[in-house]
Amino acid sequence: MSPTLLLMTATAVAQPAPEPVTFAEHIAPLVYAHCAGCHRPGQVAPFPLLSYADTRRHARTALRVIRDREMPPWQPEPGHGDFRGERRLTDAQIALFERWVAAGTPEGDPAKAPAPPAVRDGWPLGPPDLVVKMDRPFAVPADGPDLYQNFVFPLGLKEDKWVTAVDFQATSPGVVHHVLYFADASGRGRKDEAAAKAKTGQPGFPGMGFRPTGMLGGWAVGATPVRLPGGLAVPLPKGADLVLQTHFHPSGKAESESLTVGLYFADKAPARTLHRLQLPPVFGLFSNIDIPPGKADFRVSDTFTLPVDVDLVGAGAHAHYLGKTLKTSATLSDGSERSLFLIRDWNFNWQGQYLYKDFVRLPKGTVLRGDVTWDNSAANPRNPHTPPVRARWGEGSEDEMGSVSLMLVAVNEADSDRLRIAIRLHTLEVLQASRRRGDRIDWERLGIPVPPEWERAPRGPDR
Ligand code: HEC
């Protein structure tokens, strides 16, 4: 034995034995804080983690999914933006769970265990300023594919409002996977709903492609509702409807859902205007997304140069099942790079909107870049088709789309209009570039009226 090794062994012997890890003292606090929010009756997770018996029963699988960082679900990579409500276990917490399983999952003294967390009820943000309810329930079948249904809530607002938060209560929380909140001042939602109702008798209308006039936010399973930070709020014009795009995940038994939505308003217009930037714009509609079957690394990227100093408020991403990596980065004028957001292995089930813990300030001239890749190979376990099939841009769950997004404000509100116009122009430029390349967009298949900007744009050779 080498002297070093001898020394090490001696030290090891001299150290007190590590404290035994028990459920009561170590694992219960971890599981109740990081798992039980979803792993409880009436929530999406398939089994509860609300007691020693529950946790012991699932200990081995739990260890595997914790180690693989599949659970708790949290997509953004650490080191690429610092977000609120981060749901990641530390290496030390994972090591603790490993030690507990290795020791044979001992319970310890039950008297030392914390009480399981109380069921979330009522409105965590307090009573909403406006509550609306579905007038009829929506029937969710026991099984079959996931459903996307949009519900229209006429709000009857007599004046413009500013929304700081939206929350909802479900009658069958076990089937509601995520919800997007839109404002619709166009009446399109009502029309679509009336058309669909005539056919199916169900409330709402199907699809994930509703084109709103405003975005109010989103909620994904396990998320706690939050108010926008820094006194920010999004506009909700008088007369607008609220449209809720809801993703249902059948639970194994037939359920019916009747959602109640609560809106929270600001007392006055915010001092700074919130903007949204998508890279590429319109979820990649003008980025020639046409992914051949078997293609493992289909890429699209887009850049936008900041016309004014900005503060980034939040980041997010959207793609369908084949999305793989979604990345947002910034190149400053001195050439330095900063990563703002990264999802390495996109999982459609866990989309969310992420708010930076602190606003991220970026100076005028910074180049923002969005990179999206898709994996349409048979090796992608999330590919809905075996063998893979061609995936084009579209709004159905079989089609693809993808972009990263940022919520941002101008540092000086006086610059807000310049920022807004630059974002609009950027969309127009990307549209025109698509037209010049000769991209084919089958507007009829998409069910979208041909935009006048598209008709007017100089046209390249047909491909
Ligand atoms: C945001 C909600 C949420 C949180 C938080 C969460 N889970 Fe899950 N968990 C789910 C859902 C939903 C599933 C079902 C599989 C799926 O949809 O990916 C699941 C599945 C599982 C499974 C089964 C995996 C398999 O392959 O069979 C285990 C084990 C598990 N979770 C353990 C945990 C543990 C341990 C924690 C805390 C460290 C945790 N989960 C936190 C929602 C959650």
Side-chain angles (χ1 to χ4, degrees), residues 132-371:
V132 286
K133 282 187 171 72
M134 275 166 62
D135 51 10
R136 271 165 343 117
F138 176 73
V140 183
D143 41 40
D146 287 14
L147 302 173
Y148 300 86
Q149 190 78 359
N150 305 277
F151 303 108
V152 183
F153 297 83
L155 298 176
L157 291 173
K158 301 276 181 288
E159 53 179 15
D160 295 346
K161 290 285 185 190
W162 293 93
V163 175
T164 58
V166 189
D167 193 9
F168 73 92
Q169 292 179 350
T171 48
S172 306
V175 292
V176 180
H177 209 287
H178 76 251
V179 174
L180 299 177
Y181 308 110
F182 299 123
D184 177 28
S186 69
R188 204 153 42 214
R190 288 187 192 200
K191 265 190 231 143
D192 290 356
E193 179 166 67
K197 238 183 209 167
K199 274 190 239 153
T200 66
Q202 287 256 62
F205 59 97
M208 40 165 103
F210 180 66
R211 279 180 310 286
T213 56
M215 172 81 198
L216 300 177
W219 174 92
V221 146
T224 321
V226 285
R227 282 179 197 270
L228 283 170
L232 292 168
V234 287
L236 181 60
K238 71 174 171 209
D241 295 333
L242 170 74
V243 175
L244 221 71
Q245 186 174 109
T246 314
H247 168 185
F248 291 107
H249 188 62
S251 67
K253 71 181 200 323
E255 312 236 20
S256 81
E257 180 51 58
S258 206
L259 291 152
T260 304
V261 185
L263 293 116
Y264 296 83
F265 299 137
D267 302 334
K268 54 181 173 28
R272 297 213 272 173
T273 308
L274 191 63
H275 300 273
R276 281 173 204 272
L277 170 69
Q278 261 189 45
L279 299 172
V282 206
F283 302 107
L285 170 60
F286 302 113
S287 303
N288 202 21
I289 295 172
D290 187 349
I291 315 172
K295 176 100 178 142
D297 190 11
F298 186 87
R299 294 171 171 264
V300 162
S301 48
D302 185 30
T303 59
F304 175 79
T305 305
L306 288 176
V308 301
D309 297 347
V310 306
D311 281 330
L312 300 184
V313 176
H318 179 71
H320 293 174
Y321 297 108
L322 302 176
K324 182 72 178 167
T325 57
L326 295 118
K327 179 174 160 57
T328 314
S329 56
T331 308
L332 280 71
S333 37
D334 64 3
S336 60
E337 276 245 2
R338 187 159 174 186
S339 186
L340 301 170
F341 181 75
L342 173 64
I343 291 177
R344 263 189 229 289
D345 188 16
W346 167 256
N347 182 339
F348 181 82
N349 283 336
W350 300 119
Q351 47 196 308
Q353 293 254 345
Y354 305 92
L355 294 171
Y356 289 103
K357 274 190 191 145
D358 299 304
F359 289 179
V360 178
R361 184 154 295 188
L362 293 172
K364 171 181 173 172
T366 299
V367 179
L368 295 172
R369 184 182 165 95
D371 288 285

Side-chain angles (χ1 to χ4, degrees), residues 320-321 391-401 445-446:
H320 293 174
Y321 297 108
R392 282 178 291 174
W393 193 93
E395 293 165 343
S397 56
E398 309 277 284
D399 302 320
E400 274 303 323
M401 51 170 66
R445 177 181 75 90
L446 297 173

Side-chain angles (χ1 to χ4, degrees), residues 23 37 42 56 92 127 168 177 200 222 280 302 397 426 430 437 447 451 454:
F23 178 78
R56 195 184 53 175
F168 73 92
H177 209 287
T200 66
D302 185 30
S397 56
H426 177 66
V430 172
R437 277 197 307 266
W454 179 260

